[in-house]
Amino acid sequence: MSFGAGNFGSQEIFGIISSDFENSSVPDAIWYTLTERREGNLPSNLLIIYDTGSDEVFCLDFNKIDNNEPKVVSFFLGVDLDNQKYEIIANDFGSFLLDLVKREL
């Protein structure tokens, strides 16, 4: 099994860096997601893949799947679920990653 996270320039994408999800840290996407579900209000359909540096994170939304790919949506940590906008950032992870790389060039 391969694990990994990645970065390009100053952009860091979270991934799986360890199979020990309880004793990990950022950039472990599973650890961060589980922590925000337990300590915050992150819904179970979201997986955090990117932190903007403020209270906004970008997540794969497994309730919004198109062509077998979850859309990338924004989520504001600490904001009531009724007030979330779930803005679509990208139609799939590949498009999201390409956009981040282009911004760093």
Side-chain angles (χ1 to χ4, degrees), residues 4-77:
N7 69 310
F8 189 83
S10 65
Q11 305 297 325
E12 182 175 44
I13 304 297
F14 302 156
I16 300 173
I17 62 169
S18 170
S19 60
D20 184 2
F21 304 130
E22 293 300 318
N23 297 302
S24 193
S25 63
V26 167
D28 192 314
I30 306 300
W31 172 85
Y32 193 16
T33 297
L34 291 173
T35 299
E36 287 302 327
R37 286 181 187 164
R38 185 174 49 248
E39 297 175 5
N41 62 340
L42 188 72
S44 62
N45 59 296
L46 299 180
L47 174 69
I48 300 172
I49 58 167
Y50 182 82
D51 191 325
T52 65
S54 62
D55 290 331
E56 183 181 28
V57 292
F58 296 161
C59 305
L60 297 177
D61 186 345
F62 289 93
N63 280 350
K64 293 183 178 159
I65 295 180
D66 190 20
N67 294 324
N68 293 321
E69 294 276 344
K71 295 193 182 295
V72 178
V73 300
S74 66
F75 183 84
F76 286 87
L77 300 171

